[in-house]
Amino acid sequence: MPDSNNSATIELALDLISRASVTPEDAGCQQTMISRLQALGFNAEQLRFEEVDNLWARRGNTGPLFTFAGHTDVVPTGPLEQWDSAPFKPEIRDGILYGRGAADMKGSLAAFITACERFVAKHPDHKGSIALLITSDEEGPSINGTVKVVQHLEARDEKIDWCLVGEPSSTNKVGDVIKNGRRGSLGARLVVQGIQGHVAYPHLAENPIHQLAPVLAELAAEEWDQGNEFFPATTFQVSNINSGTGATNVIPGEAEVIFNFRFSTELTADILQQRVEAILNKHPLKYTLDWTLSGQPFLTAEGELVSAACEAIQELTGYSSELSTAGGTSDGRFIAPTGAQVLELGPVNATIHKVNECVSTEDLDTLSVIYERIMEKLLT
C-alpha cells in the first residue's frame, strides 16, 4: 500500500521496481509512464522493434528539444537467496530503497516523470519541447532499442538539442559526478589455428596456446595512447580464453580469445584494428579476427546542457560536480552522433547490477528537483 510519507517520486519508483522487466521485457513500465505523461499534454508514440518496447513522448512542437533518455529493462537478479528482500518487491529500510533497478535506472525514470509534472504545472507555456526516449533494450543487445528510435527520429528530421541520460553517474552523493562523455568500445574474437596432437609428440602438432601467449603479452604491454584532458588512456583487456579438449594429453587444435578496447578520442576504431593486426602479423600465426564496434567515444565538453546541470547541482546541493568520461558505455553513444549535447546524470552507482541494489530515497527526491531546475534553466 502507498505510504503517505513517501513523495510522488518514491511512490512511482516503488511501482516501477515492482515490475519484473528483465531485458527485453518492459512489464508495463512504459504504459505507467505514458499515462502520467499524457496527462501533461505529451504525445506518446509506442515504437516496438522486434521484441523490444520503446517510447518516444514529446510535449511541444518547436525547438529547442530537451530529452530525457533512459531504460525500463533491468539485469537479472542473480541468486534470490542472497537478497535481503525480494528484488521485485521493493522495500524502504532506514531511508534506503532496495530492489532490482532502484539505481539502474527506475529511480531516475520516476524522477524524470515527477520533475516534468512539477515543471509543466509551473511553466505550462515553456519554451521549446520536452521529450522522453525510453527503451527496454539497454541492458541487453541494444539492437532494437534507442538506436532504432534515433534512426526513426532522424528519418523525419526530428533533432534532439539536449539529452540528459538518467544513468547512475554519481559516486558518493547525488550529482557529485556528471558523465559528459563515454569511451568507445571495440571488441574482438581472435581464433588461432594450430594442429591437434598428442602431448608426447609435440613435433607432430602445433600448439596454438604457445603461439598465442607472446602475442597477448605484447598486446597487454602496448601503450595505445595517453588519453587527454577528458579521457583516460585507452585500455586493452582479455575477457575470455578458450582452448583444449579437457584432456591433459591432447595439444589443442585452436585457441580462442575474446578481448575489448575502451578507447579515447585520441584513437579511432580503424587505427586500433590496424595496430592490433600489425602486432599479430609479426608472429607466425594462422588466425581469424572478427571485430565488433559497440560504440564510438563521445564528448560534450561544454555547452548549455553541461552549464545548466552544473549550476543546478551547485544551487540545490551546495557542492560542485566533477565532469567525467569514466565507466562503461550507455545509450548516449547512439544519441551523440546526431549532434545533440549529451550528458548522464543519475543516482549513486555503488550497487548497480549487484545483489541488494539500492538507492537513497532522499537522493531520488533531490535528483527530481535537479532535473526540474535544469529544465527551468533551458526552457524558461
Side-chain angles (χ1 to χ4, degrees), residues 98-336:
Y98 292 85
R100 175 57 85 220
D104 189 13
M105 57 175 287
K106 290 181 175 179
S108 296
L109 298 182
F112 288 171
I113 298 294
T114 56
C116 286
E117 289 173 339
R118 293 191 309 275
F119 177 78
V120 170
K122 295 175 186 175
H123 309 282
D125 300 317
H126 59 79
K127 293 192 302 186
S129 301
I130 309 168
L132 283 84
L133 193 170
I134 309 296
T135 185
S136 63
D137 183 38
E138 195 274 345
E139 299 289 9
S142 299
I143 294 171
N144 293 305
T146 300
V147 64
K148 289 284 183 68
V149 178
V150 169
Q151 290 170 359
H152 180 78
L153 297 175
E154 287 284 289
R156 64 191 191 195
D157 200 30
E158 193 167 0
K159 292 288 189 180
I160 297 170
D161 295 285
W162 304 304
C163 182
L164 192 158
V165 186
E167 290 291 345
S169 64
S170 304
T171 301
N172 297 308
K173 50 190 177 182
V174 66
D176 63 352
V177 177
I178 296 172
K179 299 294 176 68
N180 67 323
R182 290 286 192 165
R183 295 175 295 174
S185 176
L186 177 66
R189 176 179 179 267
L190 170 65
V191 178
V192 175
Q193 299 294 335
I195 298 176
Q196 184 173 303
H198 196 293
V199 296
Y201 302 94
H203 59 289
L204 300 177
E206 291 181 7
N207 193 320
I209 298 176
H210 292 189
Q211 295 174 337
L212 180 62
V215 177
L216 287 184
E218 188 169 346
L219 290 170
E222 180 78 2
E223 181 181 78
W224 303 96
D225 62 28
Q226 295 182 334
N228 54 39
E229 65 174 309
F230 298 107
F231 288 91
T234 293
T235 61
F236 165 87
Q237 288 293 315
V238 173
S239 54
N240 285 278
I241 298 179
N242 296 293
S243 189
T245 64
T248 60
N249 59 353
V250 178
I251 295 170
E254 69 175 32
E256 176 194 66
V257 179
I258 308 295
F259 60 84
N260 179 269
F261 287 99
R262 294 300 165 101
F263 64 101
S264 76
T265 49
E266 293 294 298
L267 296 171
T268 66
D270 286 342
I271 290 173
L272 281 172
Q273 291 177 29
Q274 292 166 13
R275 287 177 61 181
V276 168
E277 289 169 16
I279 290 172
L280 292 175
N281 292 335
K282 287 164 53 179
H283 298 263
L285 301 178
K286 296 177 184 177
Y287 71 89
T288 60
L289 182 60
D290 297 308
W291 295 97
T292 301
L293 178 63
S294 300
Q296 298 282 7
F298 68 89
L299 177 69
T300 301
E302 57 187 11
E304 304 93 346
L305 182 58
V306 169
S307 295
C310 289
E311 290 170 8
I313 292 165
Q314 178 71 52
E315 291 167 7
L316 292 166
T317 68
Y319 51 78
S320 299
S321 296
E322 172 193 353
L323 297 177
S324 169
T325 61
T329 60
S330 79
D331 276 1
R333 70 190 189 273
F334 302 127
I335 301 166

Side-chain angles (χ1 to χ4, degrees), residues 25-53:
E25 295 299 322
D26 171 71
C29 292
Q30 290 177 26
Q31 194 58 55
T32 297
M33 298 174 70
I34 287 170
S35 64
R36 302 278 284 256
L37 292 168
Q38 286 179 330
L40 302 176
F42 280 77
N43 175 52
E45 294 180 68
Q46 293 174 273
L47 303 169
R48 185 174 175 87
F49 301 110
E50 300 295 335
E51 77 286 8
V52 175
D53 290 306

